[in-house]
């Protein structure tokens, strides 16, 4: 555990990344079983695909949507699931799109759990009068159900997901959306994340202090220790101690 400053920092609001910071997740979108099952589901709903055809169409639609985005833009993946139905002339409503996304994520997901001590830490911050917010690079059709499954939704005073906002970290636009929506001041906030080039760089760009936690699913790049605080062994007990010391 390393701290760039000797002076105790005081913050009013704590902003957290989700995957790799609060939650350990592993997915595999390349396994044949996923595409076989999804092709069966689409076919049963009138959109006839083979597994190979579905995967190719999915990736093509995904690339088309991403190509139209600005720098650090973030699409809503629901457009891909909708487009797959439309390619086969099948009408679909928003609920069917959401349900299809949930099934896709469930089949592709191999692991999903909060790191030990996370929920207690978040609740303790709020009990002490601190604001607790989520700023996540994620697809909301996947992430909102997972937040509910893990019991995390009630732990936050506010949640911003990149696919809903159209921008992702490290874009300052995404950070400013959070600050403006909840009337926060960057100088009073601490960003906690497991990705230096995304979470930490974005926080620095808007004048926000940060805590970097290196976990097993952090980017495998040399750690630059850009953050105000650094926990390099993924130990959430150390993270909790730092957060307590800054309240």
């Amino acid at each position: 555990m390393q701290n760039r400053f000797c002076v105790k920092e005081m913050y009013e609001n704590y902003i957290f990344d989700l995957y790799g910071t609060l939650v350990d997740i592993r997915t595999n979108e390349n396994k044949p079983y996923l595409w076989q099952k999804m092709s069966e589901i689409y076919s049963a709903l009138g959109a006839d695909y083979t597994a190979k055809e579905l995967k190719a169409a999915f990736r093509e639609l995904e690339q088309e949507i991403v190509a139209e985005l600005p720098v650090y833009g973030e699409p809503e993946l629901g457009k891909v699931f909708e487009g797959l139905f439309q390619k086969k002339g099948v009408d679909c409503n928003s609920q069917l799109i959401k349900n299809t996304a949930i099934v896709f994520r469930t089949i592709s997901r191999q692991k999903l759990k909060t790191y030990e001590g996370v929920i207690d830490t978040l609740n303790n911050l709020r009990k002490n009068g601190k604001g607790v917010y989520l700023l996540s690079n994620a697809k909301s059709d996947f992430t909102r159900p997972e937040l509910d499954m893990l019991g995390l939704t009630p732990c936050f005073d506010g949640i911003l997901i990149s696919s809903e906002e159209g921008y992702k970290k490290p874009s300052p636009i995404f950070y400013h959306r959070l600050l403006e929506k909840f009337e926060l001041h960057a100088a009073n906030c601490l960003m906690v994340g497991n990705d230096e080039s995304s979470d930490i760089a974005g926080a620095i760009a808007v004048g926000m202090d940060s805590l970097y936690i290196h976990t097993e699913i952090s980017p495998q790049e040399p750690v630059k220790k850009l953050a105000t605080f650094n926990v390099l062994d993924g130990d959430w007990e150390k993270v909790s101690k730092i957060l307590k010391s800054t309240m």
Side-chain angles (χ1 to χ4, degrees):
M1 176 173 63
Q2 298 185 9
N3 180 350
R4 284 173 49 201
F5 301 103
C6 297
V7 180
K8 181 178 178 180
E9 300 291 334
M10 302 294 293
Y11 306 101
E12 293 301 318
N13 301 289
Y14 294 80
I15 302 167
F16 293 88
D17 170 57
L18 182 61
Y19 299 117
T21 299
L22 304 177
V23 172
D24 189 1
I25 187 169
R26 311 299 163 93
T27 62
N28 183 357
E29 294 185 1
N30 290 316
K31 60 183 178 182
Y33 180 80
L34 168 66
W35 298 103
Q36 179 59 44
K37 285 300 174 185
M38 290 306 300
S39 70
E40 292 174 12
I41 290 168
Y42 267 94
S43 296
L45 294 170
D48 191 23
Y49 286 98
T50 65
K52 183 178 181 180
E53 183 186 6
L54 181 66
K55 184 177 181 180
F58 182 97
R59 296 305 183 202
E60 181 181 355
L61 284 168
E62 187 177 40
Q63 290 174 5
E64 289 176 359
I65 292 170
V66 170
E68 297 176 356
L69 296 174
V71 176
Y72 298 126
E74 181 79 293
E76 179 54 78
L77 204 57
K79 294 179 180 179
V80 176
F81 294 109
E82 180 181 19
L84 291 170
F85 282 111
Q86 292 176 341
K87 275 180 173 288
K88 297 294 184 175
V90 176
D91 292 329
C92 57
N93 57 35
S94 60
Q95 190 59 55
L96 177 58
I97 295 167
K98 286 182 181 295
N99 290 345
T100 305
I102 290 171
V103 172
F104 179 92
R105 180 68 157 191
T106 301
I107 298 173
S108 66
R109 192 172 59 231
Q110 297 175 310
K111 182 178 184 180
L112 180 71
K113 69 173 186 177
T114 56
Y115 292 111
E116 187 173 354
V118 161
I119 291 180
D120 287 343
T121 299
L122 298 180
N123 288 338
N124 186 57
L125 287 168
R126 297 186 74 201
K127 286 178 183 177
N128 281 275
K130 305 301 181 179
V132 178
Y133 300 90
L134 182 72
L135 191 69
S136 177
N137 284 0
K139 306 296 189 290
S140 63
D141 286 341
F142 295 165
T143 299
R144 292 216 175 253
E146 289 175 347
L147 287 170
D148 290 341
M149 286 170 58
L150 294 168
L152 283 170
T153 302
C155 296
F156 298 104
D157 295 293
I159 295 172
L160 257 65
I161 297 175
S162 59
S163 68
E164 296 175 348
E165 300 299 322
Y167 287 91
K168 62 184 177 182
K169 296 171 287 185
S171 172
I173 295 173
F174 193 26
Y175 285 81
H176 283 302
R177 291 264 178 92
L178 180 79
L179 296 173
E180 292 167 5
K181 182 173 183 177
F182 299 105
E183 299 182 345
L184 310 179
H185 299 285
N188 296 330
C189 297
L190 183 72
M191 176 74 207
V192 183
N194 77 310
D195 187 328
E196 285 191 310
S197 62
S198 175
D199 306 313
I200 307 307
I204 291 171
V206 297
M208 190 183 298
D209 284 354
S210 57
L211 188 162
Y212 171 70
I213 176 172
H214 187 83
T215 62
E216 289 184 359
I217 55 176
S218 292
Q220 298 304 304
E221 303 169 352
V223 177
K224 299 177 182 178
K225 299 180 184 176
L226 302 173
T228 314
F229 306 94
N230 294 279
V231 175
L232 304 182
D233 59 2
D235 188 339
W236 245 90
E237 184 175 351
K238 293 177 181 177
V239 174
S240 296
K241 287 180 179 178
I242 291 174
L243 298 182
K244 287 178 182 177
S245 75
T246 63
M247 288 194 293

